[in-house]
Structure formats: structure tokens, C-alpha cells
Amino acid sequence: MTRHSHLLLALAIVLAMPLFMQSGSLASEVLIYALAAMGCNLLLGYTGLLSFGQGIFFGLGSYTIALLLTRWPLPMPLALLAAVAMGSAGAAVVGWIAIRQRGTYFVMLTLAFAQMFYFIAYSLPGLTGGDNGLLDVPRPSLAIAGHTLWPLASPWQYYGFVAALFLLTFWLLRRVCDSVFGRTLLAVRDNEERAAAVGYDLRLLKLQAFVISGAVTGLAGALHAMMTGIAPLSNVEYHTSEMIIVITVIGGTGNLLASVLGAAFYVLLGDWLSTLWPRWLLLLGVVLMVVSLGLQRGLWGLGESLWALLRRKDAAPATPAAEPGAAAPNGGQA
Amino acid sequence: MSIYLLQTINGIGIGMLYFLLAVGLSIVFGLLRFVNFAHGAFYLFGAYFCYQMTRWGWSFWWSLLLAPLAVGAIGWATEKLLLRHVYAKPHEFHILVTVGLALVVQELVILQWGPLGDSVATPELLQGVVMWGSFVYPKYRLFVIGFTAVLAVLLWWLLEGTRLGSAVRAGSESTEMVSLLGMNVFAIFSLVFALGAATAALAGVLAAPIRGAEPFMGIEALGVAFVIVVVGGLGSFSGALVGGLLIGIVQSVMSTLWPEGARIMIYVAMAAVLLLRPHGLLGRKG
């Protein structure tokens, strides 16, 4: 598929959600977690780094915007930018230390940092509200010099704002992934030794990927705090990091649209199942095991395989050329 | 000054528990090259099995024996049914399959025992304190130190002095070599994984009278175990011991100086060790 088709598909998803969904908050949540998962995907799918620290950046975004909007009269867009900056600053610090290690050590370090940040947030109630989190986060309208450009009071109005930011971020991330930088990240993912031997500065590349990922995840965290009106301690818990990874993996790695699919699957299924059975996370654990055992390219990969199968039935002679092409974007993951 | 002595001894007690928690993770990694994110779940099971058995009116001592055996059996089955099928896959899938497993265990625990924690009574024999001049110390904590020290020696003997131990150590160098020598590597893998699960459960049982049982203790324990193996060096028995003691003492002494920050300090200690010795205190390179 071409570059533009992905952007058009993202646009189609954004436009379709209001037609099919009852709740604007739920639709916003899908896009917010899609943002967080795309940030995670840039690390996991494009750079080969499995980070359990994504909750840190998500939480930093939430706390930053909550603090700025409740304590200092800063215009909302600036507060949002500050949250993005805090997300990337946190990612720079965590990344700077964690990328000194590779493989399993790296994964364990990111998890240790996630725990550390949780206890810091817990131990500083003056700043973070401790156990209660920060409450009454306002959702001011988008305004310039007193003129309201875009009211955000209703859930669907807010959805429009989130959707615009989502599309912008999606487009920017596509640009990043298609750039020479993005291609180099893929080289790092597929063969780190060779990339180092060719002369790439692995640490710098990984750190840059971390900073971008932290910025996107921080944005997601800030949008989440504005949506729910609180910046809870749970946003920095291990479970948030875990959830972001789960969404990314279930969607499929190495493809940004797959993260949107993963977020839609997780949020909508979770919303539906949690009304039926409060312990639905048990099923999610099972899904995660199934994906690890047999569906390593996630739902997106499953869709691609089914698509290839259908096409094979339609046009039997042309298959040998079509199939490897369809599998190529994720070839390195299998 | 005696407060610091007290806290140091407390720290040794906590540190020995931490060692027990981390050593299984470390051995399993050493042999299987597999980071087990479900390790905290086995600790969680240990604590809850102890809780359930004491509520049935069984003695704590039975749970100290039976809970690790039961969890060891669960670990053994897990390795055979689940983990064996992902060994050949990239390491992120090892992690994800065990993350899924940990999630399932945690939800099962909540399903069975509810989301709120509960306390576990200290066994009657070990209630109260020991007085030794001006030195006063809870009996149960002294027991934990003594018991884990004996276990550490036993584990060390198992790994250094027995045929299983040499197979494990050889297997962590070269799996192929061990299978060429005619040993059933997969049987060893299952056994070692069961042993790792059992030690985690044992740590859970021993910790239960001190901190009670609650569904999210597994994740906290997993974080601590990671810190210890990162500090001590992954795959190293003595690394787990040194790391466990160091982290236990740091946490305990800090809790008198800055109670709110005691749990942060263990991560600060980790960052400091890593910056000085990137492969941990006793870790091998690579």
C-alpha cells in the first residue's frame, strides 16, 4: 500500500467513528490510546525496543497539563505543548540510561523506571495529589484573543479536537517513519551489529526514537487527562505501560495503522466486556498469550494473511508474486 | 545508633527475602535465556496459598511446605504447556507470553479472593520478640533470616554440588552440548522453571505474615526482583544474594531517614550501580 492510502484510511477511521459510535468519549479514548500505541510502536516496531516505561510519559503528560491548567492560567495549547515537552524530556532521561543496556536488561530497566516513577508520584502528594491524583482538570475551549475557535465542552466537540491532533500526529509519524531516519531505525531493529558496523550511532538513533515516542505518548496522556477531567495516579502505574504495549502488540508492530486497530479493539472490547464481567482482563491475558504463540503480527497481520488468502482464491495464477509483497512490511518481525 | 543496627538487621531480613525472590528469576534466565514476567505471579500465588491454607486452619508450617510444591507444579506445567512453544521466537514474545500469564494469574486471584488484601497471622511459635540485653527483635523476622540463609546454602549446593546443578550450568553455556551428552535438556528446563516458581512462592509465603496478601503484590515484587538482578548481574546466584542484601539494607536504612522515599531509594541505588558497572556487580559481560 502507498503512503497516502494509510493516511486516507486513518482519515476514514476518524470520520467513520462518529457514524457508528454512540459515545464521543469512547471514540476519543480510542484515538488517545491509538496515539500512545503509535508512540510505543515507533520503539517496538521500528527500533526493536520493548519499553515498559511508556506509562511514565503518559503520566507525565497527564500531570503536566493538569498542573498547568489548574494552577497557572496558561492558554490550553501552550499547556498541551508543555505536556508534549515533558513527555519527551522524561523519555530522554529514561532512554539515556536504559539504552546503555540491550535486550532483556533494557526491558527490565524500563520496567524498573516505571516503578520508580510510580513511587515518586506517590511520594509527592503536594505536586501530584498522591493517591488521589489531580482532580478537576478543566477543558478550556480553543480560543485566540478571546474568540472561541473550537468549543470543547461536549464529548463530540472534544472528539473533533482529538481527531485533528491525531491526524496531524499520524501524518508526522508517517513522515518520520518514511524518512531516512525511519529507515535507519529499521536497520537497527533488524541487525544492530551490522548497523553499528556501517557506522550509525546507535545510541543517538535510539535516543531520538525515545524522545519522539515520549512526545507522542505525553500528548496522549495530556489529552486523556483533559477528557476525563483528572490526572490519576493510575496513569503512571505499571498497568498503563502494560496496556500500551498490549494494544501495540495486539494491533501488530511495524505499522502505525495497526496501532489504531489495536486501540479500537482494546478500548471497544474492554468497554463492552467490562459491563458484562469486571474481570475481563483475564481474557485479555489469554489473548496476549495467543498472540505471542501464534499471531505474531497481531490483528493487522491476521488481516493481511486473510486478504492474501482471498486474493489467491480470486486470481489463482498471480499468487506467487502477490503474497511476499503483502507480507513484506512486517517481514523482519516473523 | 541502635536504630541503625536494628534497621540493618531488618534490611538483611528483607534482603534475604529479596534474594529468594530474585534467584529463581536469575537461574531461569541463566539456563533458558528467558525473562519471566510471570515470576511475580508465582510470588503472589505463594502468598495467597499461604493465606488460604491458614484460613482453613492448617498450620503455617504446612503452607510453607505445600504452597511452594503446588506453585512449583504449576510452574512445571506452565513450562511444558506454554513456554516451550515460544523459545524459538524473538525475546519480546517470551516477555509478552509471560505478561499475559501474569495478568491471568492476577485476575484469577482477584476472582477467587477479591480485590482487597488481607493480613496473614504470624505462626504462634514465632509471635513476640527476642530480648537480648537492650536488643529487642521480632522472632518471626529472625526466623526468616535463619530460614532463608539455610535455603541459600541448600540452593548453592544444588547448583554447585549436584549433577543437576552442573547440567544447569553447562546448559546455560551451551544447550546443544548438554543434549549431545545425552541429557534431556527439556526435562532440565522444566525442572529449573519449577524450581524458580517454587522459590518465588516460598518468598511469597514467608512475606505473607509480614506484609499480608494483596492482588497487586506480584507486580511490586517483579519490579524489585528486576532491580536486584540488574544490580547483582543477571544469571548469577551470588549476584542475586549480594543484590538482594544491598537493596534490602538500602531500603531499610532509608526508611528511618526518609520514610516516604524508601521505595524510591532502591531505584536510585540501581541507577547508581548501573552507571558505575553496566553489567551489574557480579554479572558477566554480554
Side-chain angles (χ1 to χ4, degrees):
Chain A
M1 278 191 265
T2 67
R3 262 192 268 182
H4 295 295
S5 68
H6 275 222
L7 195 60
L8 286 176
L9 258 172
L11 183 68
I13 292 169
V14 161
L15 291 177
M17 271 207 280
L19 300 177
F20 293 105
M21 286 169 63
Q22 306 280 315
S23 156
S25 306
L26 206 60
S28 306
E29 209 178 332
V30 169
L31 292 187
I32 287 169
Y33 285 121
L35 278 171
M38 289 192 312
C40 181
N41 204 343
L42 184 73
L43 287 178
L44 179 59
Y46 287 85
T47 326
L49 295 170
L50 180 57
S51 155
F52 270 81
Q54 298 305 101
I56 301 175
F57 322 136
F58 194 84
L60 274 174
S62 299
Y63 281 134
T64 306
I65 200 148
L67 275 173
L68 289 178
L69 291 182
T70 53
R71 299 198 190 169
W72 289 284
L74 208 61
M76 192 267 282
L78 283 183
L80 210 54
L81 271 181
V84 171
M86 274 303 281
S88 48
V93 173
V94 172
W96 186 72
I97 298 180
I99 56 173
R100 285 153 191 270
Q101 307 288 339
R102 289 177 47 194
T104 22
Y105 265 104
F106 168 84
V107 180
M108 293 198 290
L109 264 180
T110 55
L111 185 128
F113 272 110
Q115 288 290 89
M116 171 156 103
F117 193 82
Y118 169 75
F119 285 123
I120 290 175
Y122 184 79
S123 314
L124 296 174
L127 197 63
T128 61
D131 228 354
N132 300 321
L134 294 167
L135 308 174
D136 301 322
V137 180
R139 206 197 287 166
S141 300
L142 197 61
I144 290 179
H147 294 282
T148 303
L149 296 178
W150 200 332
L152 302 180
S154 84
W156 283 115
Q157 283 168 343
Y158 188 64
Y159 173 78
F161 178 67
V162 172
L165 283 174
F166 166 79
L167 286 175
L168 177 71
T169 313
F170 186 86
W171 177 70
L172 282 172
L173 276 179
R174 292 271 327 161
R175 291 287 302 259
V176 167
C177 292
D178 288 336
S179 68
V180 175
F181 169 71
R183 298 286 134 188
T184 318
L185 289 183
L186 286 180
V188 174
R189 179 194 76 185
D190 290 339
N191 194 332
E192 217 169 289
E193 283 81 11
R194 197 177 292 172
V198 172
Y200 288 118
D201 185 347
L202 291 186
R203 279 195 184 176
L204 186 67
L205 282 167
K206 287 180 181 177
L207 194 58
Q208 286 167 334
F210 245 100
V211 169
I212 298 171
S213 170
V216 176
T217 314
L219 174 68
L223 289 174
H224 188 265
M226 278 173 69
M227 184 187 89
T228 55
I230 47 170
L233 185 63
S234 65
N235 272 7
V236 292
E237 265 180 10
Y238 166 81
H239 281 295
T240 303
S241 300
E242 185 181 67
M243 179 174 71
I244 294 172
I245 288 181
V246 168
I247 290 174
T248 313
V249 172
I250 287 181
T253 53
N255 180 326
L256 294 177
L257 263 184
S259 296
V260 182
L261 186 66
F265 176 82
Y266 184 98
V267 172
L268 300 182
L269 194 73
D271 179 67
W272 179 62
L273 283 178
S274 59
T275 57
L276 299 178
W277 193 37
R279 303 264 64 85
W280 70 278
L281 281 173
L282 190 108
L283 296 179
L284 193 74
V286 175
V287 170
L288 198 55
M289 289 195 272
V290 170
V291 168
S292 321
L293 283 171
L295 279 176
Q296 289 170 37
R297 287 161 56 230
L299 292 176
W300 185 269
L302 182 68
E304 272 184 345
S305 309
L306 290 177
W307 179 245
L309 209 68
L310 279 175
R311 288 228 302 213
R312 184 180 301 177
K313 276 187 185 156
D314 284 352
T319 42
E323 202 192 359
N330 278 301
Q333 283 291 295
Chain B
M1 203 58 216
S2 88
I3 180 83
Y4 292 107
L5 179 67
L6 194 72
Q7 288 300 351
T8 307
I9 298 173
N10 262 339
I12 292 173
I14 298 172
M16 289 304 284
L17 273 182
Y18 283 175
F19 155 73
L20 207 54
L21 188 60
V23 72
L25 190 72
S26 208
I27 298 173
V28 166
F29 178 81
L31 181 65
L32 285 73
R33 298 281 141 193
F34 191 108
V35 176
N36 176 19
F37 268 64
H39 199 66
F42 294 138
Y43 168 83
L44 177 66
F45 259 158
Y48 266 96
F49 283 5
C50 170
Y51 169 72
Q52 184 64 57
M53 288 174 191
T54 48
R55 278 194 72 190
W56 281 335
W58 298 8
S59 126
F60 173 81
W61 306 105
W62 276 113
S63 74
L64 192 61
L65 177 72
L66 294 179
L69 283 179
V71 177
I74 293 174
W76 185 80
T78 309
E79 199 276 341
K80 277 205 174 295
L81 297 175
L82 197 61
L83 305 184
R84 184 158 293 182
H85 306 287
V86 289
Y87 286 149
K89 300 190 164 127
H91 83 270
E92 60 257 36
F93 293 104
H94 301 173
I95 291 168
L96 291 169
V97 78
T98 47
V99 164
L101 181 63
L103 203 56
V104 168
V105 168
Q106 181 182 301
E107 294 301 308
L108 282 177
V109 163
I110 295 176
L111 211 56
Q112 176 63 34
W113 289 287
L116 299 173
D118 207 342
S119 59
V120 174
T122 314
E124 259 176 61
L125 189 65
L126 297 173
Q127 281 169 3
V129 293
V130 175
M131 290 210 251
W132 200 31
S134 66
F135 183 78
V136 180
Y137 202 74
K139 277 187 199 165
Y140 182 74
R141 285 178 178 249
L142 275 183
F143 160 75
V144 168
I145 296 176
F147 186 76
T148 43
V150 171
L151 273 175
V153 172
L154 271 177
L155 269 174
W156 179 80
W157 170 78
L158 189 69
L159 291 171
E160 297 289 326
T162 64
R163 209 173 142 69
L164 173 72
S166 47
V168 168
R169 275 177 294 126
S172 68
E173 293 296 327
S174 164
T175 320
E176 269 176 50
M177 181 63 81
V178 175
S179 56
L180 283 176
L181 288 171
M183 292 188 210
N184 184 349
V185 181
F186 280 111
I188 297 173
F189 280 5
S190 308
L191 263 181
V192 166
F193 198 82
L195 182 69
T199 50
L202 204 52
V205 174
L206 288 170
I210 299 176
R211 50 132 32 248
E214 50 98 9
F216 303 103
M217 66 196 286
I219 286 161
E220 199 186 322
L222 189 69
V224 171
F226 281 0
V227 169
I228 289 160
V229 295
V230 166
V231 164
L234 197 47
S236 152
F237 176 88
S238 36
L241 186 61
V242 172
L245 288 174
L246 178 75
I247 293 298
I249 292 170
V250 165
Q251 183 182 357
S252 190
V253 171
M254 277 310 295
S255 68
T256 51
L257 297 174
W258 183 31
E260 300 83 19
R263 286 195 285 195
I264 299 172
M265 286 317 291
I266 70 172
Y267 299 100
V268 175
M270 174 191 77
V273 168
L274 276 178
L275 289 175
L276 297 171
R277 283 188 61 91
H279 290 279
L281 292 172
L282 297 167
R284 290 170 299 182
K285 248 192 160 350

